[in-house]
Amino acid sequence: MDSIKNRRILDVLAGNPVDKTPVWIMRQAGRYLPEYKKTRAEAGSFLDLCKTPELASEVTVQPIRRFDLDAAIIFSDILTIPDAMGLELKFEDNRGPYFDTPLNNLDDVSSLTDENNSSLEYVADAIIHTKEKLNNEVPLIGFSGSPWTLSTYMIEGAATKEFRKIRSIVFNDADMLNMLTKKLVKSISEYLIMQAKAGANILMIFDSWGGLLNSNNYIDFSLNPMKEIISNLRKDKITKNTPIVLFTKGGGNWLNEISKSGCNAIGLDWTIDIASARKIVGENICLQGNLDPCALHGSKESIQNAASKIIDSYGFGHKHIFNLGHGIDQFVNPDNLNVLIKHVKDYSVKYHNH
Ligand code: CP3
């Protein structure tokens, strides 16, 4: 057994009682922190920051030094896998990440490699550096994008407005999408195992664009491939017991199906009431979320009220990990995040004393 001191999140995921609701924040290492901006400038670019283990580990621990968080998440990006598969990832400020030559057909997919762990070793190295810096204070979360979400970037070239290209391919070139999905399932499974081997204690799958799909297509092209990844992880001796969090943004319609995927926790965006979500998924699964990220632009009192509402809505029980419903944005004042985290810790105690 590992010797991590703050075990709240690991306890929640293992079904053990905790003294208060644990909290971490999606995108907790990011541009809202002045120290992140400084290290990013030192790295030269976002991609250099991701690919330099010493600096990636530094920004991973920055929010842990500043706030009373219960987990760190490795600083990287979901688009490292497409980059390693052969689509060169580019990044421009004010535009975000993109690919110059997105996939158009089966031949394009055939030319991608799915043997890419060796070119992703910088992520394993960043995890190893981070574990040293964390000194067992809190667990470390590793992550990947889902096959569907990575496919959207690889086919669209970037996050687009309508996602018309990939949404049409769902209907008129399922062979192409299935071949891509198959390669991604293999790559992602191996990548997550590599992260666990390097020291990640929890694994999270970000399905940021699952909510674009209709129900049948969500099951076929997003949930089933994620289930395959989970089953691959359960078959591997390194990850067979590693807790897995699955987050489909816009997935509120499919919580029952997601709860049967084999994951240990479901990430919720802010559009669903957490009490309703709990009723749907039952008591065997943990929930993570789900404050509207924009609540962090409110006054101290409104931030506290918004957080209390979520904690009240979840009610008694130990299977809630507090988080935002999506990533923190770059314009949030870090002091407001401190208000939120302190309040979650103080206010939630009453729901754990039983
Ligand atoms: O949570 C963390 O602190 C870990 C780091 C992390 C990043 N990206 C760093 C990042 C994680 C977990 C991600 C995941 C990610 N990346 C997702 C899934 C989560 C989600 O938001 O739905 C997606 C869709 C991406 C793709 C991506 N990367 C986009 C769309 C952007 C641009 C958006 C923006 O905020 O500008 C990025 C860039 C990115 N990834 C930044 C960070 C901190 C901002 C880069 C910078 O300018 O410094």
Side-chain angles (χ1 to χ4, degrees):
M1 188 155 120
D2 56 62
S3 51
I4 291 168
K5 291 172 203 143
N6 176 341
R7 305 196 62 82
R8 277 192 198 100
I9 292 188
L10 295 170
D11 278 334
V12 165
L13 291 163
N16 300 326
V18 284
D19 58 345
K20 43 188 103 166
T21 304
V23 54
W24 71 277
I25 300 294
M26 288 195 269
R27 289 274 176 99
Q28 61 192 27
R31 283 165 297 179
Y32 74 105
L33 289 179
E35 57 269 38
Y36 169 85
K37 285 197 202 142
K38 193 162 167 265
T39 312
R40 186 185 187 288
E42 208 181 298
S45 72
F46 172 67
L47 292 177
D48 285 328
L49 181 54
C50 289
K51 293 185 179 183
T52 311
E54 178 49 39
L55 298 179
S57 60
E58 167 60 23
V59 295
T60 303
V61 301
Q62 284 171 349
I64 306 301
R65 291 190 194 119
R66 195 191 255 262
F67 306 112
D68 184 16
L69 289 159
D70 295 291
I73 178 164
I74 189 65
F75 182 83
S76 187
D77 200 81
I78 60 167
L79 300 176
T80 52
I81 286 197
D83 187 53
M85 290 175 96
L87 285 185
E88 192 194 341
L89 178 61
K90 299 204 172 150
F91 187 89
E92 268 171 36
D93 290 341
N94 307 321
R95 179 175 173 193
Y98 64 94
F99 301 109
D100 272 333
T101 49
L103 307 171
N104 291 316
N105 51 48
L106 207 59
D107 285 347
D108 293 345
V109 177
S110 305
S111 67
L112 297 173
T113 172
D114 57 10
E115 299 284 340
N116 36 43
N117 263 2
S118 58
S119 36
L120 288 165
E121 259 168 28
Y122 64 90
V123 179
D125 288 344
I127 289 175
I128 292 166
H129 276 70
T130 302
K131 291 294 283 186
E132 278 169 20
K133 290 182 182 161
L134 286 175
N135 199 19
N136 280 330
E137 289 298 331
V138 291
L140 179 64
I141 303 169
F143 70 90
S144 167
S146 71
W148 165 256
T149 293
L150 294 185
S151 298
T152 60
Y153 282 98
M154 295 171 87
I155 288 174
E156 295 283 332
T160 56
K161 242 183 172 168
E162 306 269 355
F163 295 88
R164 189 174 293 116
K165 187 176 172 194
I166 187 158
R167 287 171 57 221
S168 304
I169 285 174
V170 165
F171 294 97
N172 64 32
D173 198 354
D175 286 351
M176 172 188 172
L177 194 53
N178 284 327
M179 188 201 255
L180 179 56
T181 302
K182 203 168 159 209
K183 287 192 166 186
L184 285 167
V185 166
K186 176 175 183 290
S187 286
I188 293 168
S189 304
E190 291 171 2
Y191 181 55
L192 290 172
I193 292 167
M194 179 181 82
Q195 292 186 45
K197 199 170 169 191
N201 308 98
I202 298 162
L203 296 171
M204 173 149 169
I205 303 176
F206 286 92
D207 185 30
S208 307
W209 296 119
L212 291 172
L213 289 161
N214 73 31
S215 291
N216 289 330
N217 291 333
Y218 173 74
I219 303 297
D220 291 346
F221 293 106
S222 187
L223 187 60
N224 284 343
M226 290 194 283
K227 269 190 187 166
E228 267 184 69
I229 292 168
I230 295 173
S231 111
N232 289 340
L233 297 179
R234 295 308 180 214
K235 280 184 224 141
D236 190 280
K237 62 180 185 312
I238 295 165
T239 46
K240 67 177 192 299
N241 296 317
T242 308
I244 299 171
V245 186
L246 202 159
F247 171 63
T248 290
K249 184 160 174 288
N253 276 330
W254 308 304
L255 292 176
N256 183 34
E257 291 78 1
I258 297 171
S259 72
K260 294 175 184 140
S261 65
C263 68
N264 304 78
I266 301 178
L268 301 174
D269 69 24
W270 66 93
T271 60
I272 184 158
D273 176 65
I274 196 164
S276 322
R278 185 175 178 179
K279 265 190 211 123
I280 296 168
V281 304
E283 294 299 313
N284 289 328
I285 204 135
C286 306
L287 292 173
Q288 176 178 285
N290 69 338
L291 183 69
D292 184 335
C294 284
L296 285 170
H297 293 297
S299 64
K300 180 173 180 184
E301 201 180 34
S302 84
I303 293 169
Q304 292 175 334
N305 285 339
S308 299
K309 275 189 189 148
I310 290 172
I311 294 165
D312 290 337
S313 175
Y314 188 83
F316 287 94
H318 301 281
K319 293 200 165 169
H320 179 207
I321 300 166
F322 196 96
N323 204 316
L324 306 182
H326 201 202
I328 186 168
D329 77 65
Q330 58 174 312
F331 305 109
V332 167
N333 177 343
D335 295 341
N336 289 5
L337 186 56
N338 209 21
V339 166
L340 173 70
I341 293 168
K342 277 192 180 347
H343 184 70
V344 170
K345 294 289 171 71
D346 294 344
Y347 187 77
S348 64
V349 171
K350 65 179 179 185
Y351 288 109
H352 294 280
N353 286 335
H354 63 287

